[in-house]
Amino acid sequence: MTKMRTVDAAVAILEKEGATEAFGLPGAAINPFYSAMRNHGGIRHTLARHVEGASHMADGYSRAKDGNIGICIGTSGPAGTDMITGLYAAWADSIPMLCITGQAPVAKLHKEDFQAVDIESIAKPVTKMAMTILEPGQVPGAFQKAFQLMRSGRPGPVLLDLPIDVQLAEIEFDIDTYEPLPVEKPRASRKQLEKALDMLTAARRPLIVAGGGIINAGASEQLVELAELLGVPVIPTLMGWGAIPDDHELMAGMVGLQTSHRYGNETFLQSDFVIGIGNRWANRHTGGLDTYTAGRTFVHIDIEPTQIGRVFSPDLGIASDAGAALDGLVELARERRAAGSLPDYSTWVSECAGRKATLHRKTHFENIPIKPQRVYEEMNRAFGPETTYVSTIGLSQIAGAQMLHVFGPRKWINAGQAGPLGWTAPAALGVVRGKPGETVVALSGDYDFQFMIEELAVGAQFNLPYIHVVVNNSYLGLIRQSQRGFNMEQNVSLAFENINSTDLSATASGYGVDHIKVAEGLGCKAVRVEDPNELGTAFAQAGALAAEFQVPVVVEVILEKVTNIAMGVEINAVNEFEPLAETPEDAPTAILALQA
């Protein structure tokens, strides 16, 4: 056996577990761990400007590719509390992420020592495990258990808190004999899946609802194969968007109150059977349950047994990893297809395609200031099918989900349940770390962008190029829209005359923060667009600047200040505030051209 510091053992374990991408900020109480990373040399570290930003970078990195686990590192006290929003965002969306904090010496923990906070208790509600390691000999086992928990069952984040004296202590440890613990995931039985398939094939208008669990399981190909074998349309959730490409004939659109397609909602309302795989029945997807469930039979397959029945009781519930369930369903579907016992759903598929080709929202507006719908139309033109989009919350995210196109898994990366403002920029940097050389495009409103704007400097320092589209209406747009029911606009305007930006055009003046100057001051490139017909040129210019300078490039679009994006309280009663498409020219980048 070899005698070494606990932190040297921990860093060796990170490498053996395949977690070698870290984001964080050093500090006195975590310096021993940083010295171990330096001595080891195999852990790449990206220095953030804020610990919350570092946690979102680690989250974005974890979401970027199958099997990734991002690491966030910070010192004692406020570093851990700054991580809580990041832990919550990862926990809410079932994302594995390891947070490591320094801590005061063990003997000082009950003495209100400097920056000695009980981060274990604070973090427990938003983690799968939070542990202050009080004994040096527990360090290897705690890290071993952390990786098992992050990967087992419903994935999620873990926080390990390391008192400085525990970090400095020496233990006997042999990395050559260390082995990761087995990952535990439930698997549906053949009998369960036969019952599910019997129920599906007894229906006349069945749908598959594809959740984020399919993407977490790396099972998108199996989903598409199952849909094709059965000839059954697929409704992805917001977190499952991309599991089936938008241009696939069986992609029937998204359903919901906000991030949905008109044709998706209408198709769902016409269905009589739904099998949900790896989804949570989130309220922004379902709306009122009486409307959502009326006249339909439901099967729910999820990796977490306690998710089944949490929102409503399905007719059949199965606890299973989405990948394992899809493997079994594909095998059964192949057998039944070979036996000629599968129903023909071609008429139902044709009806769904008809809705996809007729129920469009208008995107082509020539207005100045620019209407947001035109921005997404031009993004569809400018960015190809390999593009990865990153977004979090607000009217920008809602409209983007209604109008952008996604063509594969992990190409729509979104903090869907927590929706923390400020997540987008640091998460995009983590995604760039996880997808080097690929096209990454972030989408923010001006407020989301301003929340953690300092993290742009990280992209400049470490040469992490991506394009950040900022749709600026100088409003908290989603909150302004939600306040309409109260007949007010209270504390939602960000507009002011910027005394340092007197050279702005009449269109752009009075919008407040000069995002171009801020971005350039942080070492990035930036472009402002005020005419909708210049959007395509601006996006091309941004791509060229990102390639040349290898830094983030901000494209700020000056929007009309007041816009209401389609949404409602029931999936059969979504308010359409703008004119609907009447000709193909009204929605020129729709997946299927508008048919009269």
Side-chain angles (χ1 to χ4, degrees), residues 205-519:
R205 299 180 301 278
L207 290 174
I208 300 169
V209 168
I214 292 173
I215 292 176
N216 281 349
S220 298
E221 289 185 7
Q222 296 96 305
L223 167 72
V224 173
E225 183 177 0
L226 177 66
E228 291 175 345
L229 284 166
L230 298 174
V232 171
V234 177
I235 297 282
T237 67
L238 183 66
M239 298 306 299
W241 195 14
I244 184 169
D246 274 8
D247 58 353
H248 194 287
E249 64 176 354
L250 293 174
M251 199 294 200
M254 288 194 289
V255 169
L257 306 180
Q258 297 177 336
T259 55
S260 60
H261 302 107
R262 293 181 64 220
Y263 51 87
N265 280 352
E266 187 59 32
T267 284
F268 185 88
L269 291 167
Q270 297 299 318
S271 68
D272 62 0
F273 171 88
V274 177
I275 179 169
I277 305 175
N279 66 307
R280 294 187 304 106
W281 309 118
N283 66 304
R284 288 204 300 169
H285 168 83
T286 65
L289 294 178
D290 288 344
T291 300
Y292 189 83
T293 59
R296 286 167 208 93
T297 301
F298 286 86
V299 173
H300 190 196
I301 301 175
D302 195 77
I303 197 168
E304 173 52 51
T306 63
Q307 281 292 342
I308 296 169
R310 175 171 290 191
V311 178
F312 63 86
S313 295
D315 297 274
L316 174 65
I318 301 172
S320 178
D321 169 69
L326 284 166
D327 286 341
L329 286 168
V330 165
E331 182 181 351
L332 290 172
R334 286 173 180 164
E335 293 174 4
R336 296 190 185 190
R337 184 172 183 175
S341 59
L342 289 177
D344 179 2
Y345 290 117
S346 58
T347 300
W348 169 234
V349 170
S350 178
E351 292 172 2
C352 296
R355 285 183 282 270
K356 192 173 181 178
T358 54
L359 299 177
H360 292 172
R361 294 184 172 105
K362 183 176 178 178
T363 61
H364 196 78
F365 295 90
E366 295 285 352
N367 304 51
I368 297 177
I370 299 169
K371 293 188 78 67
Q373 293 85 350
R374 180 66 182 273
V375 180
Y376 309 113
E377 175 186 309
E378 297 297 338
M379 289 173 70
N380 284 332
R381 281 199 180 98
F383 304 118
E386 296 306 313
T387 301
T388 297
Y389 291 108
V390 183
S391 190
T392 181
I393 190 65
L395 289 184
S396 55
Q397 175 244 23
I398 293 167
Q402 291 178 8
M403 298 167 199
L404 290 175
H405 305 317
V406 174
F407 296 98
R410 300 193 186 274
K411 295 188 182 300
W412 172 258
I413 294 180
N414 183 206
Q417 184 183 349
L421 284 165
W423 184 89
T424 307
L429 295 171
V431 172
V432 174
R433 276 291 194 218
K435 295 189 170 190
E438 297 188 28
T439 300
V440 176
V441 177
L443 172 62
S444 290
D446 41 312
Y447 207 44
D448 171 50
F449 185 61
Q450 289 174 24
F451 254 56
M452 304 207 77
I453 199 169
E454 75 281 349
E455 301 305 326
L456 287 177
V458 177
Q461 179 179 356
F462 292 93
N463 298 122
L464 301 173
Y466 76 97
I467 297 170
H468 202 133
V469 179
V470 179
V471 285
N472 181 7
N473 65 352
S474 71
Y475 259 115
L476 309 186
L478 179 56
I479 307 308
R480 182 209 55 75
Q481 184 169 333
S482 72
Q483 287 185 354
R484 292 173 70 251
F486 297 94
N487 296 314
M488 68 178 189
E489 288 187 7
Q490 180 69 27
N491 303 117
V492 291
S493 175
L494 301 173
F496 61 91
E497 291 293 338
N498 192 324
I499 61 173
N500 297 305
S501 297
T502 57
D503 57 339
L504 293 177
S505 70
T507 302
S509 64
Y511 275 62
V513 173
D514 189 333
H515 297 112
I516 304 301
K517 287 184 176 179
V518 176

Side-chain angles (χ1 to χ4, degrees), residues 467 538-550 553:
I467 297 170
F539 293 143
Q541 182 184 358
L545 289 170
E548 180 181 358
F549 295 101
Q550 294 294 294
V553 179

Side-chain angles (χ1 to χ4, degrees), residues 153-175:
R154 180 182 179 182
V158 165
L159 182 139
L160 296 177
D161 188 38
L162 301 173
I164 191 167
D165 52 337
V166 171
Q167 294 179 60
L168 292 168
E170 292 191 337
I171 58 172
E172 297 286 347
F173 180 73
D174 182 2
I175 189 62

